[in-house]
Amino acid sequence: MNGAGEGNIIFGDGLENLPDKGIDNGSFDILVANPPYSVKDFKQHLQLKNNVFSLLDRIGLNGGEIETLFVERIGQLLKPRGIAAVILPSSILSNDSSSYTGAREQFLQNFYIRAIVAFGSKTFGATGTNTVVMFLEKFNEPPKQVDLSSDSVDAIFSGAELNEWRDKEILEAYIAQIELDENIYNEFLNKCYSLDELNDIDYFKMYVSAFAVSVNARNLQKTKEYQNKSANEQAAVYLERFYDYARSIEKEKLLYFSLVYRQKTVVITAPADNKAQKDFLGYDWSNRKGNEGIQIIIPGGKMYDDSDRVAEGTLASAIRQSFNGVIPSFTKEQKAYASVVNTKDMLDYSRATFNKALRTNVKKAFHIISKYSMVKLASVCDLNTSKAEIHDIPDDLPVSFVEMASVSNEGFIETKVDRPCGGVRNGGYTYFAEGDIIIAKITPCMENGKCAIAEGLTNGIGFGSSEFHTFRCHEEDILTKFLFLLLNQDMVRKAAEDAMTGASGHRRVPAAFYEEMLIPLPPIQIQQQVIAECAKIDEEYNTTRMTIESYRKKIEELFNELDIISSGGGYRLILDDSDKFDVSIGKRLLNKQLAPSGKIPVYSANVIEPFGYIDELLIKDFSIPSVLWGIDGDWMTNYIPENLEFYPTDHCGVLRCKTSEVNPRYMAHVLEIEGKKMGFSRAYRASIDRIQGISFAVTDRVTQDETIAKIEAIEEKIRESEKNLDSLTGKTAEILNRFLN
């Protein structure tokens, strides 16, 4: 920057004001900073002359949290509506110390938190520090926003008339946030409840417990004045002190809620996996002699377009949009690490202590609505049971080992393998027992809805090589089959997917999602009625499922018969014959080229599910069918009938038959079989050269067409049966709704 146009570098202490050099409070429109972190004993050497900091008293004499002073400094230097981007250690968001809590108070009292970008340990080379970039916009003032909010909170707690004031909106929004009945909260504000009544209300119970062990309560009970009172007088004094304690915390929660309840924040979290971090950042670090330092891989990585810094559709543009009041949208790939959250949800109001920690994972607990009383799932079942239960079982005792892949989407454990207990007990596997509910918590199984009741386990003991959540019902409260029906609903699966954290390919459902879930708890006889009615649906479902399996088996047999005829009496063709086959790959696409409302599906290495959608074409003629294959992913093929438009990327191959000797539908089957024989996979790419090297046998076209016609007729029956399955799934949800609502 030195000498760059009007650039002006000033040597000095960044915490000081230097009015003669233009460094003064409220004088800057933009602030970009990477302040120092963790400078031990800095207070002993700090000699401020032209500035003061409220946070200085919250740092111990030997404390090193100098970064918290720089947080306060941001608010000092910026003009109203000034903007900042500041790199800080990620601990600034959650550390419980007084100075860090004070730093978060500075953020919340002075700024719109427009975006938070959390970076991993690979970002700054050898330091290994996890960091966040805070993107901030200072409130427009005067008056100060925190003063306005304080006035609103005082009015609410004083019992003032709230109609026609924003105070009413604030209170109603806060009560909805903490999921409490408005009348109950107003009774609390008016100190109407006894201690026993408060202890029966889930939200206020935490305050009763916390106050009982507080210094305030202990000191009160030690005083002679308190001890000389009657029991009723003691209870009245204790209750009054309790209300002082609980109301003061509630006032603080409501104050900070009122500052942020209308805000939204873009949250971007870089992946934790080292390789995924490199892809995200677009660079790596090298210690190799002669080649030390940063090594650029793809400029901009997943963050921005290096050739067009103001390009739309990038993560950088999402942050820019947040400053303009626009809620950005993200592609499917970007959603693995980017989202827009309500800033109010970043604060945790569910504890007696309120440290203003800013949570970047802010998926709210999912609740099923019902006329019956709601209870926390964790109160009626044991979550994620311990292997300690089988500590004394002999090593050679056979137990069931279950791969998550062997759990069907319909809730059946299809295969179990017996292994000695000693071989899996201490291997880090997930333990469950006969009758437990198991649910996948990792990608992609959770996204496929893998959920089952563990039944038929050898010696009643099971282990899973993949990661599971396990649920063991308290049968006196909730029946296992009833809980399974609740958890196996599409809306619960969808909520679990939305709650997933982590990078693409390593995403998982956190245990907190289930721990905080509220579920309806009807009487046992109602649960039994639900189970009985759903059992009839299950029976029809299983019959339909078996019918589909038999259809698929018949298709497999028809293809096998055709393969035998072709190999026994047919002739050979090779895919490098350009007169008979057209073999090509698609074109590279950037995320920004995908159209949010596009109509043309884009296929990449996954040729079954579209990568996205677009409004332009690469191939102009769709009058003949196409066979797609994935070039560098798990081996798969797909058949696209004629007149269906699509766009292939450079990870998607396209095969077309120019000859009438091969039925294109049969060609798709042949390519799939031959690719499996060649072992195509992520590690062994299905390149054009390798595909063109494939030769295969075919019989006459008439025989092919006759067989394919039979197959297509069966496929139509499968589609009809699958529609029936979908409707049956809906019927289970209808039964639950009818009984629960």
Side-chain angles (χ1 to χ4, degrees):
M1 293 173 65
N2 192 21
E6 298 300 315
N8 181 26
I9 292 179
I10 297 169
F11 178 78
D13 187 338
L15 295 175
E16 281 275 20
N17 284 320
L18 302 171
D20 57 323
K21 296 182 178 180
I23 309 296
D24 209 349
N25 289 349
S27 59
F28 288 87
D29 296 293
I30 301 172
L31 185 149
V32 179
N34 182 8
Y37 319 151
S38 304
V39 180
K40 189 177 180 183
D41 300 333
F42 78 90
K43 280 186 71 171
Q44 301 176 36
H45 307 285
L46 196 62
Q47 298 179 347
L48 295 173
K49 299 173 185 175
N50 296 318
N51 205 5
V52 292
F53 289 90
S54 64
L55 290 181
L56 200 55
D57 293 337
R58 299 173 76 161
I59 301 173
L61 181 62
N62 299 317
E65 312 99 271
I66 193 170
E67 60 269 28
T68 63
L69 298 187
F70 281 95
V71 171
E72 187 172 353
R73 185 67 171 141
I74 303 167
Q76 291 178 349
L77 288 172
L78 283 178
K79 296 177 182 179
R81 302 195 68 179
I83 63 175
V86 184
I87 304 172
L88 291 162
S90 59
S91 53
I92 202 78
L93 299 180
S94 58
N95 189 292
D96 259 337
S97 71
S98 178
S99 62
Y100 275 84
T101 301
R104 293 191 291 274
E105 291 170 356
Q106 291 288 322
F107 285 138
L108 296 165
Q109 290 180 20
N110 294 296
F111 300 102
Y112 296 104
I113 303 174
R114 296 302 190 189
I116 299 176
V117 182
F119 287 108
S121 58
K122 300 288 289 184
T123 309
F124 293 107
T127 65
T129 302
N130 290 329
T131 56
V132 292
V133 180
M134 304 293 294
F135 290 90
L136 310 165
E137 179 180 350
K138 193 172 182 182
F139 290 142
N140 195 15
E141 53 187 42
K144 279 188 166 292
Q145 185 62 50
V146 68
D147 293 337
L148 294 175
S149 289
S150 293
D151 289 343
S152 293
V153 173
D154 287 342
I156 291 168
F157 273 75
S158 68
E161 175 57 49
L162 303 183
N163 288 328
E164 310 302 328
W165 294 88
R166 190 167 73 97
D167 311 348
K168 181 176 176 60
E169 177 187 316
I170 291 171
L171 178 59
E172 289 176 346
Y174 178 69
I175 291 172
Q177 182 73 22
I178 62 175
E179 299 177 331
L180 203 62
D181 182 85
E182 184 175 354
N183 292 329
I184 291 176
Y185 197 79
N186 284 328
E187 293 288 274
F188 165 78
L189 291 180
N190 294 323
K191 304 181 183 180
C192 295
Y193 289 120
S194 69
L195 211 61
D196 287 341
E197 289 171 327
L198 288 163
N199 206 34
D200 287 335
I201 301 171
D202 280 343
Y203 183 76
F204 295 120
K205 183 189 298 184
M206 63 180 173
Y207 289 132
V208 177
S209 301
F211 181 69
V213 297
S214 68
V215 172
N216 191 335
R218 291 201 301 268
N219 288 343
L220 169 67
Q221 292 163 335
K222 289 177 183 177
T223 63
K224 288 260 175 91
E225 182 183 2
Y226 180 84
Q227 293 173 357
N228 289 334
K229 293 181 182 293
S230 68
N232 287 339
E233 290 172 331
Q234 286 181 350
V237 171
Y238 187 95
L239 183 61
E240 186 62 31
R241 289 287 184 91
F242 166 81
Y243 271 113
D244 290 344
Y245 163 83
R247 280 164 56 92
S248 68
I249 299 173
E250 278 299 301
K251 283 188 76 171
E252 189 176 33
K253 288 180 178 179
L254 188 56
L255 170 65
Y256 285 96
F257 175 84
S258 69
L259 288 165
V260 300
Y261 79 105
R262 290 177 169 177
Q263 293 186 41
K264 291 188 181 293
T265 300
V266 172
V267 175
I268 299 171
T269 304
D273 175 75
N274 284 345
K275 182 182 183 305
Q277 277 193 61
K278 295 176 193 176
D279 293 339
F280 180 86
L281 297 168
Y283 61 80
D284 194 11
W285 295 90
S286 171
N287 294 320
R288 186 160 55 88
K289 190 172 181 179
N291 198 34
E292 298 89 351
I294 194 168
Q295 307 293 314
I296 303 298
I297 303 169
I298 299 176
K302 305 290 186 184
M303 299 180 290
Y304 60 89
D305 185 341
D306 189 58
S307 63
D308 181 5
R309 294 299 182 96
V310 295
E312 297 298 325
T314 65
L315 295 180
S317 71
I319 295 172
R320 185 168 63 251
Q321 287 176 314
S322 72
F323 280 96
N324 296 330
V326 177
I327 300 175
S329 58
F330 300 103
T331 65
K332 184 176 181 180
E333 180 188 17
Q334 289 171 335
K335 285 179 181 178
Y337 34 72
S339 62
V340 179
V341 303
N342 295 315
T343 314
K344 62 185 175 67
D345 295 336
M346 301 177 77
L347 296 170
D348 184 2
Y349 314 91
S350 66
R351 302 185 183 188
T353 55
F354 183 54
N355 67 358
K356 298 94 178 175
L358 293 167
R359 303 173 296 177
T360 53
N361 176 26
V362 296
K363 307 296 186 189
K364 289 196 69 179
F366 170 77
H367 305 324
I368 302 169
I369 306 301
S370 172
K371 65 185 177 184
Y372 293 105
S373 60
M374 306 297 289
V375 299
K376 280 194 173 183
L377 176 58
S379 71
V380 293
C381 68
D382 299 323
L383 300 180
N384 299 322
T385 49
S386 170
K387 291 194 291 264
E389 298 180 22
I390 57 164
H391 181 73
D392 296 326
I393 292 177
D395 286 349
D396 58 353
L397 185 78
V399 297
S400 290
F401 190 83
V402 178
E403 294 276 5
M404 187 46 86
S406 71
V407 178
S408 73
N409 292 341
E410 292 78 28
F412 299 93
I413 299 179
E414 296 176 323
T415 57
K416 311 175 192 72
V417 178
D418 281 353
R419 293 191 183 178
C421 186
V424 291
R425 175 169 43 212
N426 301 316
Y429 301 114
T430 302
Y431 158 70
F432 46 89
E434 182 78 13
D436 288 352
I437 297 172
I438 57 174
I439 295 181
K441 64 180 178 182
I442 60 170
T443 303
C445 295
M446 183 61 235
E447 294 166 345
N448 295 336
K450 301 285 190 175
C451 176
I453 298 176
E455 295 176 325
L457 302 178
T458 302
N459 289 309
I461 299 170
F463 284 89
S465 61
S466 298
E467 296 184 47
F468 297 76
H469 285 302
T470 65
F471 306 79
R472 182 171 302 166
C473 291
H474 303 161
E475 289 283 332
E476 68 276 12
D477 298 319
I478 191 166
L479 301 176
T480 298
K481 182 63 177 179
F482 178 74
L483 180 59
F484 175 79
L485 291 169
L486 287 179
L487 296 180
N488 203 35
Q489 293 185 86
D490 285 343
M491 64 176 179
V492 180
R493 292 179 180 179
K494 178 64 170 62
E497 289 176 33
D498 290 343
M500 280 181 154
T501 60
S504 177
H506 298 82
R507 298 167 62 237
R508 64 196 63 220
V509 184
F513 170 78
Y514 294 109
E515 290 168 355
E516 298 301 320
M517 182 189 292
L518 292 178
I519 63 167
L521 190 65
I524 290 292
Q525 61 267 31
I526 299 296
Q527 296 181 38
Q528 290 170 335
Q529 290 178 41
V530 171
I531 293 169
E533 290 214 21
C534 288
K536 299 173 186 175
I537 305 300
D538 285 345
E539 184 177 352
E540 186 177 351
Y541 189 99
N542 292 335
T543 301
T544 305
R545 188 175 66 91
M546 294 304 294
T547 300
I548 291 173
E549 288 302 314
S550 66
Y551 284 151
R552 288 175 178 158
K553 184 70 174 175
K554 181 60 179 174
I555 288 174
E556 184 180 341
E557 291 171 356
L558 287 169
F559 271 127
N560 287 340
E561 290 172 5
L562 189 55
D563 292 342
I564 292 169
I565 294 170
S566 297
S567 59
Y571 56 96
R572 300 196 71 79
L573 297 172
I574 187 166
L575 293 181
D576 72 349
D577 187 341
S578 59
D579 291 332
K580 296 183 177 181
F581 301 101
D582 179 47
V583 183
S584 64
I585 64 171
K587 182 180 178 182
R588 185 182 178 215
L589 274 182
L590 301 177
N591 284 333
K592 66 179 182 180
Q593 293 175 265
L594 299 176
S597 58
K599 295 182 174 62
I600 299 168
V602 177
Y603 291 102
S604 191
N606 181 341
V607 297
I608 306 298
E609 298 292 335
F611 171 70
Y613 293 87
I614 200 168
D615 282 327
E616 60 182 275
L617 290 172
L618 179 64
I619 299 170
K620 303 304 180 185
D621 181 10
F622 290 90
S623 61
I624 60 175
S626 302
V627 179
L628 309 185
W629 83 87
I631 291 174
D632 48 9
D634 295 330
W635 175 244
M636 63 179 72
T637 64
N638 191 15
Y639 171 73
I640 307 292
E642 66 271 16
N643 300 321
L644 287 183
E645 297 178 335
F646 63 91
Y647 191 112
T649 73
D650 56 337
H651 299 284
C652 172
V654 181
L655 168 63
R656 287 178 157 184
C657 299
K658 297 159 69 174
T659 176
S660 61
E661 296 172 83
V662 187
N663 182 299
R665 178 68 181 84
Y666 182 51
M667 185 70 252
H669 165 76
V670 169
L671 185 61
E672 181 181 6
I673 297 301
E674 295 298 326
K676 287 179 180 178
K677 290 179 183 177
M678 295 186 70
F680 290 140
S681 66
R682 293 176 185 270
Y684 187 63
R685 299 176 72 249
S687 65
I688 277 192
D689 289 345
R690 289 170 179 159
I691 292 294
Q692 288 177 325
I694 292 175
S695 65
F696 59 96
V698 292
T699 187
D700 63 276
R701 178 64 185 261
V702 172
T703 303
Q704 293 178 49
D705 289 348
E706 289 174 351
T707 302
I708 295 301
K710 294 176 184 176
I711 289 171
E712 289 176 344
I714 296 173
E715 287 176 336
E716 180 58 34
K717 291 180 180 178
I718 289 176
R719 283 190 287 271
E720 291 173 2
S721 296
E722 286 175 337
K723 287 179 184 178
N724 189 33
L725 282 186
D726 291 339
S727 68
L728 290 173
T729 301
K731 286 181 181 177
T732 298
E734 288 173 8
I735 292 169
L736 284 165
N737 288 334
R738 175 158 48 86
F739 276 94
L740 298 180
N741 296 320

